[in-house]
Amino acid sequence: MRFATDDILQPFNTTWLPPGVEAAMLRLDRVHPLVSGNKWFKLKYNLEAAAGRPVVTFGGAWSNHILATAAACREQGIRCTGVIRGEQPPQLSHTLGQAQALGMELLFVSREQYRRMTDNVPIGWNGAYIIPEGGHNEAGVRGCREILQLADVSRYTHILCAVGTGTTLAGLIQGAVAGQAVWGISVLKGAGTLEMEVREMLEGTEEAAWQLLQGFHEGGYAKTSPRLLAHINDFYRETGIPTDIVYTGKLTLAARLLAENGAFPPGSRLLLVHTGGLQGNESLAKGVLCF
Ligand SMILES: *Cc1c(COP(=O)(O)O)cnc(C)c1O
């Protein structure tokens, strides 16, 4: 890949890190301008498996996965269709406008139809290669195993990431070394089966100790709270690192709350994985965030 390790692994300090605890951010948001963050890794082996066939995938109006797929397919000259949840709005979201400009064909379906299609993913859609919503499949996990190879991260004691489908978490757990703890921060409310799904993806191969933490969703998927928005601004002012409202802002908020509750003993070295997604902040009114 084209980037320097210095740009990818960024140590940071904040007022809330306890004495004797170090932290760094693994900046996946910098791997590609549009195929941001973990989606680059989830798409890697999926597009390889597509082997030039057209690609069909699924997502909502602000989906990072939809935009990443559009951009990656554009780069590789692959035709792609995004099945979008909900009726076509009079004006496309920032995300969908960009995806369409990159050549993705958008197919709007009702929420009910969308649920049917994603629960029971159609096979062999006119010979297309189907990537499930969020890149949530075995090829996605395989790509995510490579995230921790971007830099030498063996010295970190705790690896933390935001969790939607758990694909990235499963890859990080498999990529971590014995002795490292991998903590996933769920951004969903009541994600009852998520832990079991991650365990299934792992197939008992992991060496790292891991856990899924459920208390940091701030109201649910894509919901924000005043304390989340204030935290995102504070974190940016202290570190210069921008985060997003759906995933990485909740990750750094969780890290702070955990640190304040004494979850990290002195000598801990935290690695937070910035999974990208900054384009989603375009859904906010101007001025809510300070960057
Ligand atoms: C998609 C996404 C996630 C969630 O990844 P999963 O593998 O589905 O758990 C986390 N962060 C960002 C920024 C994302 O876009």
Side-chain angles (χ1 to χ4, degrees):
M1 272 175 267
R2 291 154 298 187
F3 35 81
T5 300
D6 308 5
D7 294 337
I8 290 292
L9 187 59
Q10 181 180 352
F12 66 85
N13 204 352
T14 67
T15 47
W16 45 263
L17 279 170
V21 176
E22 276 178 45
M25 188 71 84
L26 191 65
R27 299 282 309 261
L28 306 187
D29 56 315
R30 290 181 163 164
V31 299
H32 190 285
L34 289 173
V35 194
S36 157
N38 59 345
K39 301 302 186 278
W40 195 94
F41 294 88
K42 294 210 240 184
L43 286 169
K44 181 177 175 186
Y45 291 110
N46 273 300
L47 295 185
E48 207 173 282
R53 278 175 291 168
V55 160
V56 175
T57 194
F58 305 85
W62 295 98
S63 165
N64 295 324
H65 167 70
I66 285 289
L67 180 57
T69 305
C73 286
R74 168 70 166 235
E75 234 173 62
Q76 301 191 19
I78 299 173
R79 265 184 33 226
C80 65
T81 301
V83 179
I84 310 301
R85 182 180 57 235
E87 305 301 337
Q88 176 157 12
Q91 169 137 30
L92 289 182
S93 66
H94 180 80
T95 307
L96 295 182
Q98 273 191 301
Q100 193 178 55
L102 287 161
M104 179 180 261
E105 181 195 358
L106 302 178
L107 184 65
F108 291 87
V109 299
S110 70
R111 281 166 190 277
E112 190 191 321
Q113 209 176 347
Y114 183 89
R115 201 171 318 113
R116 266 206 307 274
M117 287 166 98
T118 48
D119 282 350
N120 207 337
V121 176
I123 307 166
W125 182 326
N126 293 330
Y129 179 82
I130 311 277
I131 303 179
E133 189 177 32
H136 178 41
N137 61 8
E138 193 278 328
V141 177
R142 190 146 36 99
C144 290
R145 276 182 220 149
E146 298 177 5
I147 290 173
L148 296 179
Q149 296 167 14
L150 284 174
D152 180 3
V153 297
S154 55
R155 63 189 297 277
Y156 293 96
T157 55
H158 298 71
I159 297 167
L160 278 73
C161 73
V163 174
T165 64
T167 315
T168 305
L169 175 63
L172 289 173
I173 294 166
Q174 290 182 325
V177 297
Q180 287 182 317
V182 185
W183 293 3
I185 309 299
S186 175
V187 302
L188 312 169
K189 184 157 74 178
T193 59
L194 195 51
E195 188 169 327
M196 194 187 71
E197 287 172 37
V198 173
R199 190 161 290 124
E200 277 171 11
M201 287 187 268
L202 293 174
E203 297 165 340
T205 54
E206 73 276 16
E207 300 201 30
W210 66 278
Q211 58 177 327
L212 184 67
L213 301 175
Q214 303 268 13
F216 303 101
H217 55 72
E218 295 298 283
Y221 183 73
K223 297 282 196 298
T224 61
S225 63
R227 113 171 143 165
L228 174 67
L229 297 172
H231 165 78
I232 289 174
N233 282 330
D234 289 345
F235 188 73
Y236 180 76
R237 290 194 187 101
E238 284 199 295
T239 64
I241 302 174
T243 54
D244 79 290
I245 52 172
V246 182
Y247 296 102
T248 54
K250 293 180 184 179
L251 165 68
T252 56
L253 176 60
R256 189 185 97 200
L257 297 172
L258 288 164
E260 288 170 353
N261 278 305
F264 307 115
S268 298
R269 292 184 291 273
L270 316 183
L271 181 70
L272 274 58
V273 180
H274 195 311
T275 40
L278 295 171
Q279 64 93 23
N281 288 346
E282 298 285 339
S283 67
L284 293 173
K286 292 272 164 283
V288 173
L289 297 180
C290 65
F291 53 89

Coordinates of all heavy atoms in Angstrom, one line a residue, residues 2-35:
R2 N 0.3 2.4 -0.2 CA 1.1 3.6 -0.6 C 1.4 4.5 0.6 O 2.1 5.4 0.5 CB 0.3 4.4 -1.6 CG 0.2 3.8 -2.9 CD -1.1 4.3 -3.7 NE -2.3 4.0 -2.9 CZ -3.5 4.2 -3.3 NH1 -3.7 4.7 -4.5 NH2 -4.5 3.8 -2.6
F3 N 0.8 4.2 1.8 CA 1.0 5.2 2.8 C 2.1 4.8 3.8 O 2.5 3.6 3.9 CB -0.3 5.4 3.6 CG -1.1 4.1 3.7 CD1 -0.8 3.2 4.6 CD2 -2.1 3.8 2.8 CE1 -1.5 2.0 4.7 CE2 -2.8 2.6 2.8 CZ -2.4 1.7 3.8
A4 N 2.6 5.8 4.5 CA 3.7 5.6 5.5 C 3.0 5.2 6.8 O 2.0 5.6 7.2 CB 4.5 6.8 5.7
T5 N 3.7 4.3 7.6 CA 3.3 3.9 8.9 C 3.0 5.1 9.8 O 2.1 5.0 10.6 CB 4.3 2.9 9.5 OG1 4.5 1.8 8.6 CG2 3.9 2.4 10.8
D6 N 3.9 6.1 9.7 CA 3.7 7.3 10.6 C 2.3 7.9 10.4 O 1.8 8.4 11.4 CB 4.6 8.4 10.2 CG 6.0 8.0 10.0 OD1 6.3 6.8 10.2 OD2 6.9 8.8 9.8
D7 N 1.8 7.8 9.2 CA 0.5 8.4 9.0 C -0.7 7.6 9.6 O -1.8 8.0 9.8 CB 0.2 8.6 7.5 CG 1.2 9.6 6.9 OD1 1.7 10.4 7.7 OD2 1.4 9.5 5.7
I8 N -0.4 6.3 9.7 CA -1.4 5.3 10.0 C -1.5 5.1 11.6 O -2.6 5.0 12.1 CB -1.1 4.0 9.3 CG1 -1.3 4.1 7.8 CG2 -2.0 2.8 9.9 CD1 -2.8 4.3 7.4
L9 N -0.4 5.1 12.2 CA -0.4 4.9 13.7 C -0.1 6.2 14.4 O 1.0 6.7 14.3 CB 0.7 3.8 14.0 CG 0.7 3.3 15.5 CD1 -0.6 2.7 15.9 CD2 1.8 2.3 15.6
Q10 N -1.1 6.8 15.0 CA -0.9 8.1 15.6 C -1.1 8.1 17.1 O -2.3 8.0 17.6 CB -1.9 9.0 15.0 CG -1.8 10.5 15.5 CD -2.9 11.4 14.8 OE1 -3.6 11.0 13.9 NE2 -2.9 12.6 15.3
P11 N 0.0 8.2 17.9 CA -0.2 8.3 19.3 C -1.0 9.6 19.7 O -0.9 10.6 19.0 CB 1.2 8.4 19.9 CG 2.1 7.9 18.7 CD 1.4 8.3 17.5
F12 N -1.8 9.5 20.7 CA -2.5 10.7 21.2 C -2.6 10.8 22.7 O -2.4 9.7 23.4 CB -3.9 10.8 20.5 CG -4.9 9.8 21.0 CD1 -5.6 9.9 22.1 CD2 -5.1 8.6 20.2 CE1 -6.5 8.9 22.6 CE2 -6.0 7.6 20.6 CZ -6.7 7.8 21.8
N13 N -2.8 12.0 23.2 CA -2.9 12.1 24.6 C -4.2 13.0 24.9 O -4.6 13.8 24.0 CB -1.7 12.8 25.2 CG -1.6 12.5 26.7 OD1 -2.4 11.9 27.3 ND2 -0.5 12.9 27.3
T14 N -4.8 12.7 26.0 CA -6.0 13.5 26.3 C -6.0 13.7 27.8 O -5.2 13.1 28.6 CB -7.3 12.7 26.0 OG1 -7.4 11.6 26.9 CG2 -7.4 12.2 24.6
T15 N -6.9 14.6 28.3 CA -7.0 14.9 29.7 C -7.5 13.7 30.5 O -7.3 13.5 31.7 CB -7.9 16.1 30.0 OG1 -9.1 15.9 29.2 CG2 -7.2 17.4 29.6
W16 N -8.3 12.8 29.8 CA -8.9 11.7 30.5 C -8.1 10.4 30.6 O -8.6 9.4 31.2 CB -10.3 11.5 30.0 CG -10.5 11.4 28.5 CD1 -10.9 12.5 27.7 CD2 -10.2 10.3 27.6 NE1 -10.9 12.0 26.4 CE2 -10.5 10.7 26.3 CE3 -9.8 9.0 27.8 CZ2 -10.4 9.9 25.2 CZ3 -9.7 8.1 26.7 CH2 -9.9 8.6 25.4
L17 N -7.0 10.3 29.9 CA -6.2 9.1 30.0 C -5.6 9.1 31.4 O -4.9 10.1 31.7 CB -5.2 9.1 28.9 CG -5.7 8.6 27.5 CD1 -4.6 8.8 26.5 CD2 -6.1 7.1 27.5
P18 N -5.7 8.0 32.1 CA -5.1 8.0 33.5 C -3.6 8.0 33.4 O -3.0 7.6 32.3 CB -5.6 6.7 34.1 CG -6.7 6.1 33.1 CD -6.4 6.8 31.8
P19 N -2.9 8.4 34.4 CA -1.5 8.3 34.5 C -1.0 6.9 34.2 O -1.6 5.9 34.6 CB -1.1 8.7 35.9 CG -2.3 9.3 36.5 CD -3.5 8.8 35.7
G20 N 0.0 6.7 33.3 CA 0.6 5.4 33.1 C -0.2 4.7 32.0 O 0.1 3.5 31.7
V21 N -1.2 5.3 31.4 CA -1.9 4.7 30.3 C -1.6 5.4 29.0 O -1.8 6.6 28.9 CB -3.4 4.6 30.5 CG1 -4.2 4.0 29.3 CG2 -3.7 3.8 31.8
E22 N -1.1 4.7 28.0 CA -0.8 5.3 26.7 C -1.9 5.0 25.7 O -2.6 4.0 25.8 CB 0.4 4.6 26.1 CG 1.7 5.1 26.5 CD 2.8 4.3 25.8 OE1 2.7 4.0 24.6 OE2 3.7 3.8 26.5
A23 N -2.0 5.8 24.6 CA -3.0 5.5 23.6 C -2.5 5.9 22.2 O -1.7 6.8 22.1 CB -4.3 6.2 23.9
A24 N -3.0 5.2 21.2 CA -2.7 5.5 19.8 C -4.0 5.2 19.0 O -4.8 4.3 19.4 CB -1.5 4.8 19.3
M25 N -4.1 5.9 17.9 CA -5.2 5.6 16.9 C -4.6 5.0 15.7 O -3.6 5.5 15.1 CB -5.9 7.0 16.6 CG -7.1 6.8 15.7 SD -8.5 6.2 16.7 CE -9.1 7.6 17.5
L26 N -5.2 3.9 15.2 CA -4.8 3.3 13.9 C -5.8 3.9 12.9 O -7.0 3.6 12.9 CB -5.0 1.8 14.0 CG -4.4 1.0 12.8 CD1 -2.9 1.1 12.8 CD2 -4.8 -0.5 12.9
R27 N -5.2 4.8 12.1 CA -6.0 5.7 11.2 C -6.4 5.0 9.9 O -5.9 5.4 8.8 CB -5.3 7.0 11.0 CG -4.9 7.8 12.2 CD -6.1 8.6 12.8 NE -6.8 9.5 11.8 CZ -6.6 10.8 11.6 NH1 -5.7 11.4 12.4 NH2 -7.3 11.4 10.8
L28 N -7.4 4.1 10.0 CA -7.8 3.5 8.7 C -8.6 4.5 7.9 O -8.8 4.3 6.7 CB -8.8 2.3 9.0 CG -8.3 1.2 9.9 CD1 -9.2 0.1 9.9 CD2 -6.9 0.7 9.5
D29 N -9.0 5.6 8.5 CA -9.7 6.7 7.7 C -8.7 7.3 6.7 O -9.1 8.0 5.8 CB -10.2 7.8 8.6 CG -9.1 8.4 9.5 OD1 -8.3 7.7 10.1 OD2 -9.1 9.7 9.6
R30 N -7.4 6.9 6.8 CA -6.5 7.5 5.9 C -6.0 6.5 4.7 O -5.2 6.9 3.9 CB -5.2 7.9 6.6 CG -5.4 9.1 7.5 CD -4.2 9.5 8.2 NE -4.3 10.9 8.7 CZ -3.5 11.4 9.6 NH1 -2.5 10.7 10.1 NH2 -3.6 12.7 10.0
V31 N -6.6 5.3 4.7 CA -6.1 4.4 3.7 C -6.6 4.8 2.3 O -5.9 4.4 1.3 CB -6.5 2.9 4.0 CG1 -6.0 2.4 5.3 CG2 -8.0 2.7 3.9
H32 N -7.7 5.5 2.2 CA -8.2 5.8 0.8 C -9.1 7.0 1.0 O -9.9 7.0 2.0 CB -8.9 4.6 0.2 CG -9.3 4.8 -1.2 ND1 -10.3 5.6 -1.6 CD2 -8.7 4.2 -2.3 CE1 -10.4 5.5 -2.9 NE2 -9.5 4.7 -3.4
P33 N -9.2 8.0 0.1 CA -10.0 9.1 0.3 C -11.5 8.8 0.3 O -12.3 9.4 1.0 CB -9.7 10.0 -0.9 CG -8.9 9.2 -1.8 CD -8.3 8.1 -1.0
L34 N -12.0 7.8 -0.4 CA -13.4 7.5 -0.5 C -13.7 6.1 0.1 O -14.8 5.9 0.7 CB -13.9 7.5 -1.9 CG -14.0 9.0 -2.5 CD1 -14.4 8.9 -4.0 CD2 -15.1 9.8 -1.8
V35 N -12.8 5.1 -0.2 CA -13.1 3.8 0.3 C -12.5 3.7 1.7 O -11.5 3.1 2.1 CB -12.4 2.7 -0.5 CG1 -12.9 1.3 -0.2 CG2 -12.5 2.9 -2.0

